[in-house]
Amino acid sequence: MWVPQLSEFNQPVYLSIADALARDISNGVLNEGDRLPTLRELATALSVTPGTISRAYSEAHRRRLVQGEVGRGTYVLGQKPLEPLASNSAAPLNLGHAELLDLSIIKPSSETLEYWLRDALVGMAKSTDFARALDYAPDGGHPAHREAGAQWLRHALPDAQGQQVVITAGAQHGLMVAMSALTSAGDLVLCEALCYPGIISLAHGLERRLRGVPMDDEGIIPDALRELCLREKPAMLVCVATCQNPTTAIMSPKRRAQIAALAEEFDFIILDDDIYGFLATDPSIKPLSAFAPDRSVYLTSLSKAVMPALRIGYLYSPPKLLSRLSSMVRSSVWMPSPLTAQLASNVIGEGLDKKLIRIQRNEAAGRQAIAREIFANFELKAQPYSYHVWLTLPEPWTSDEFTMLARANGVLVLSGTQFQAERSGSTRCVRLVLMSPTSQDELRFALTKLASLIDSDPRRYY
């Protein structure tokens, strides 16, 4: 079995494997038609994940070194590998990995997801319940899919009932459904002063007035929320109480109770966006909506916890709001895909969701350790299992100029200004997503580049 000899490298492992493959083809170690090891065989031999090998083989395929045949494996091609462009060519010379290292999108680690997804898809196709995925679904979703959603919700809301679940096409669609159905054009919608940019674009697109509530290390400050409510009447508060995006803040139970009491006092609806609830350090803390169940809508989805391809979200609502939410789903997309909802239901019913959550939490903890090591001398906000960190840059950096320079150096991050509910000037914070890189080696490489950039004087670039 071919096992590459990896030399010392300052690049992601999968690129080193692809380079070793090119070298061994050039040296005659591998010949046309040779069958390469399976993903799992080579992953075991190199003590890496199958996802790393998959990405290495994909890179080798891009270079025309190998070809894959379904059911047969991966084979060495006969033609010569791609040669670098001549130095006098009009096109630029590619001296390595041209792709940007993307630390801008929050998503679960993808190294093993394809294997789980394949099995889940095959299992769904063989399921006796498959027929329900091929037809129209009733308002709110098929009863079996709603019950699966309730099962998923019970990790946070133990008494969740399927009748109170409304299925959406992901969490962003759930935000749109709730805001559209439960507020009107011109209404005041509150959120954290630093919030997920999708909330900002959605509120403005729906012609709602958006106001950011000042925050501290736990998130929204109750006294600041009260002050806003005394001046104006909000219709809704959108809040991420666990692993808040971007600050990673987690509200204490006391803070959640205070926010819920203000919702009762000033008669507004809480949209409890708990998409990162499964990453909580203390799972016993109840969701924000549990403190005001009659005036809260709980929102979650599977895309962050299980896999991005599962664009299925769940709204859990008091009975009095169900018809409005279901009607808005019908008005916006008619119905979320029953095929995807069936796949999500199978994943939940078979317990695969719990297995993948354990995998993602363990992976996040490992990546957080890397971030803490590399940024030990900087101000960093994080949680043990959060997918991202909130980094404060030292002076004289600003987040916008650092983001531009990071991109110029091959790394994508998001500037803190993109998270301001109300554009309020410059900031020195950036959000770094730890789970997007394929491997921990690739993450370390990207974070090391960023730390080196921070240590330099920004004035040298101008």
Side-chain angles (χ1 to χ4, degrees):
M1 183 178 80
W2 175 74
V3 178
Q5 299 300 311
L6 303 182
S7 57
E8 294 295 322
F9 55 86
N10 61 349
Q11 63 179 353
V13 173
Y14 78 92
L15 288 177
S16 295
I17 296 171
D19 290 346
L21 180 61
R23 184 176 62 246
D24 286 353
I25 292 173
S26 177
N27 293 339
V29 175
L30 290 170
N31 301 302
E32 178 182 356
D34 284 350
R35 186 179 186 276
L36 295 179
T38 67
L39 302 183
R40 294 191 182 279
E41 287 172 343
L42 193 52
T44 300
L46 294 177
S47 298
V48 298
T49 68
T52 299
I53 306 303
S54 175
R55 192 160 188 187
Y57 282 4
S58 295
E59 174 66 15
H61 184 272
R62 187 189 68 80
R63 300 184 193 181
R64 302 178 193 168
L65 300 171
V66 301
Q67 67 178 3
E69 299 180 23
V70 177
R72 295 191 62 227
T74 303
Y75 293 82
V76 175
L77 282 176
Q79 62 259 49
K80 294 181 180 180
L82 289 175
E83 298 293 338
L85 295 171
S87 59
N88 60 353
S89 171
L93 183 65
N94 183 359
L95 296 177
H97 188 41
E99 296 179 5
L100 291 169
L101 294 166
D102 193 347
L103 307 188
S104 68
I105 300 175
I106 296 182
K107 60 181 182 178
S109 174
S110 62
E111 281 194 278
T112 60
L113 290 183
E114 61 185 281
Y115 304 100
W116 298 112
L117 183 56
R118 281 198 191 101
D119 290 343
L121 286 168
V122 171
M124 180 179 69
K126 293 179 178 179
S127 171
T128 57
D129 299 326
F130 186 51
R132 76 162 65 103
L134 308 178
D135 202 352
Y136 285 101
D139 285 355
H142 193 286
H145 298 162
R146 296 169 76 180
E147 180 55 37
Q151 183 179 337
W152 165 252
L153 293 172
R154 287 178 192 131
H155 76 277
L157 300 171
D159 298 325
Q161 301 297 314
Q163 302 97 312
Q164 292 177 238
V165 172
V166 175
I167 296 177
T168 68
Q172 182 66 22
H173 180 235
L175 281 169
M176 187 278 292
V177 165
M179 195 178 295
S180 298
L182 306 179
T183 68
S184 301
D187 278 352
L188 176 63
V189 173
L190 303 179
C191 64
E192 294 100 340
L194 294 167
C195 70
Y196 163 56
I199 296 172
I200 302 172
S201 61
L202 178 63
H204 289 290
L206 294 175
E207 298 183 339
R208 273 50 168 179
R209 294 181 295 123
L210 188 68
R211 188 74 56 79
V213 185
M215 306 168 66
D216 60 15
D217 288 342
E218 282 193 32
I220 285 176
I221 301 171
D223 287 344
L225 177 58
R226 169 178 283 278
E227 185 178 334
L228 274 171
C229 291
L230 288 171
R231 292 203 306 266
E232 294 190 72
K233 178 174 174 51
M236 174 179 284
L237 169 67
V238 184
C239 188
V240 182
T242 298
C243 291
Q244 199 265 345
N245 181 12
T247 68
T248 78
I250 295 180
M251 277 190 184
S252 66
K254 179 181 178 182
R255 178 70 59 89
R256 296 175 195 232
Q258 291 173 316
I259 300 296
L262 289 170
E264 295 283 355
E265 181 180 352
F266 291 99
D267 190 28
F268 59 80
I269 292 172
I270 296 174
L271 180 51
D272 181 12
D273 184 353
D274 199 34
I275 193 170
Y276 303 113
F278 67 99
L279 298 174
T281 50
D282 182 359
S284 68
I285 297 179
K286 296 178 182 179
L288 175 58
S289 54
F291 292 86
D294 292 334
R295 59 174 58 256
S296 298
V297 175
Y298 180 86
L299 169 64
T300 187
S301 82
L302 297 177
S303 61
K304 306 298 186 189
V306 179
M307 56 187 74
L310 277 179
R311 303 307 303 170
I312 289 293
Y314 302 107
L315 289 170
Y316 192 74
S317 165
K320 64 183 179 182
L321 302 178
L322 281 171
S323 60
R324 294 163 66 180
L325 295 170
S326 297
S327 176
M328 186 53 63
V329 171
R330 184 173 65 250
S331 298
S332 58
V333 297
W334 191 260
M335 63 178 183
S337 166
L339 196 64
T340 308
Q342 182 64 44
L343 177 59
S345 299
N346 285 13
V347 166
I348 294 168
E350 295 166 8
L352 180 55
D353 57 327
K354 295 181 176 63
K355 181 178 294 186
L356 290 175
I357 284 174
R358 287 195 298 270
I359 291 172
Q360 296 299 338
R361 283 171 62 93
N362 289 338
E363 182 67 19
R367 295 184 181 220
Q368 284 288 342
I370 293 172
R372 289 194 300 272
E373 173 194 338
I374 292 175
F375 296 116
N377 296 324
F378 302 106
E379 182 181 342
L380 193 71
K381 291 183 179 179
Q383 299 294 338
Y385 304 109
S386 61
Y387 284 1
H388 66 285
V389 297
W390 186 237
L391 176 67
T392 300
L393 302 167
E395 293 181 341
W397 284 109
T398 67
S399 62
D400 287 340
E401 69 181 353
F402 181 79
T403 299
M404 289 188 294
L405 288 170
R407 183 185 180 93
N409 282 269
V411 186
L412 288 179
V413 302
L414 287 188
S415 166
T417 57
Q418 293 184 252
F419 299 94
Q420 294 175 337
E422 303 169 72
R423 290 290 189 262
S424 55
S426 63
T427 173
R428 289 189 291 114
C429 294
V430 292
R431 190 192 71 182
L432 312 178
V433 176
L434 308 183
M435 302 292 274
S436 295
T438 302
S439 67
Q440 292 189 16
D441 289 321
E442 187 177 89
L443 173 67
R444 182 179 291 276
F445 179 71
L447 296 185
T448 300
K449 290 182 73 173
L450 292 178
S452 176
L453 183 60
I454 295 171
D455 276 335
S456 61
D457 187 338
R459 291 170 293 189
R460 65 180 291 188
Y461 297 102
Y462 297 100

